[in-house]
């Protein structure tokens, strides 16, 4: 096992203990005693965050508020109930739109300055990426159909890290 990687049994135990409402310190002690490991409290918190169990800034609270005898909300130090954030729900599959244009499917090196740069392919490992190649719309990197496909009120924008993969030139 490489440093920073947790065995699946350890991750499963972390999840079970977390859902029981145990503190991260206690979870670390239990996992270390059970598996003979030496995880720190911070290592347990970091793994829990990567597993989606702990939100930044709220590392010690479980994702689901436990049901208490005096109400559904946990009591804070002042004795008042506070609502917890609902758990995140995975987004459904995206409905992709398409345009009625037959791309020229030319390589990046063959693109001319005025060609549409809308990409095709590259979804599978080793699959080459080609580009539309039709004349671009003024002020855009795309032809008119691809411009409308990529910009509009229903366009889904992704935020966050983008993973780029190096591929061999054709």
């Amino acid at each position: 096992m490489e440093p920073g990687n947790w065995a699946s049994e350890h991750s499963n135990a972390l999840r079970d203990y977390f859902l029981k409402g145990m503190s991260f310190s206690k979870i670390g002690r239990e996992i270390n005693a059970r598996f003979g490991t030496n995880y720190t409290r911070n290592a347990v918190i970091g793994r829990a965050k990567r597993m989606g169990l702990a939100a930044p800034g709220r590392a010690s609270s479980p994702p689901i508020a436990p049901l208490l005898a005096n109400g559904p909300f946990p009591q804070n130090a002042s004795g008042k109930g506070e609502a917890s954030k609902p758990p995140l729900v995975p987004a459904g599959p995206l409905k992709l739109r398409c345009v009625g244009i037959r791309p020229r499917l030319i390589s990046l090196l063959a693109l001319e300055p005025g060609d549409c740069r809308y990409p095709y392919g590259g979804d599978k490992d080793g699959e080459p990426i080609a580009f539309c190649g039709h004349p671009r719309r003024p002020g855009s990197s795309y032809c008119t159909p691809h411009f409308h496909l990529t910009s509009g009120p229903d366009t889904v924008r992704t935020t966050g890290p983008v993973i780029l993969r190096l591929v061999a030139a054709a």
Side-chain angles (χ1 to χ4, degrees):
M1 179 170 62
E2 296 177 26
N5 291 336
W6 284 50
S8 60
E9 299 85 19
H10 302 178
S11 296
N12 292 337
L14 188 157
R15 180 180 291 109
D16 293 341
Y17 293 142
F18 182 81
L19 293 175
K20 289 179 182 177
M22 294 173 68
S23 71
F24 289 118
S25 296
K26 178 83 171 149
I27 292 171
R29 285 192 298 269
E30 291 292 325
I31 292 174
N32 290 337
R34 183 172 164 187
F35 297 106
T37 55
N38 194 21
Y39 294 125
T40 64
R41 175 183 170 272
N42 286 339
V44 173
I45 292 171
R47 180 62 183 162
K49 285 182 182 180
R50 289 188 299 278
M51 291 172 62
L53 297 176
R58 296 194 62 171
S60 62
S61 63
I64 302 171
L67 292 176
L68 303 175
N70 58 352
F73 301 114
Q75 300 295 317
N76 60 18
S78 67
K80 296 180 180 177
E82 60 182 36
S84 63
K85 293 181 181 177
L88 296 176
V89 178
L94 291 175
K95 181 180 178 186
L96 300 177
R97 300 179 296 165
C98 61
V99 295
I101 188 170
R102 175 168 274 159
R104 292 175 49 209
L105 299 177
I106 57 178
S107 71
L108 178 64
L109 297 175
L111 280 174
E112 297 292 329
D115 290 342
C116 175
R117 275 137 170 80
Y118 189 85
Y120 285 88
D123 296 326
K124 298 178 181 121
D125 285 338
E127 182 182 13
I129 298 175
F131 298 88
C132 171
H134 286 287
R136 289 186 350 192
R137 174 188 172 114
S140 173
S141 295
Y142 304 126
C143 62
T144 300
H146 285 128
F147 172 81
H148 290 298
L149 180 68
T150 59
S151 59
D154 297 333
T155 303
V156 176
R157 299 281 184 214
T158 58
T159 58
V162 175
I163 299 173
L164 299 178
R165 181 180 52 209
L166 293 175
V167 295

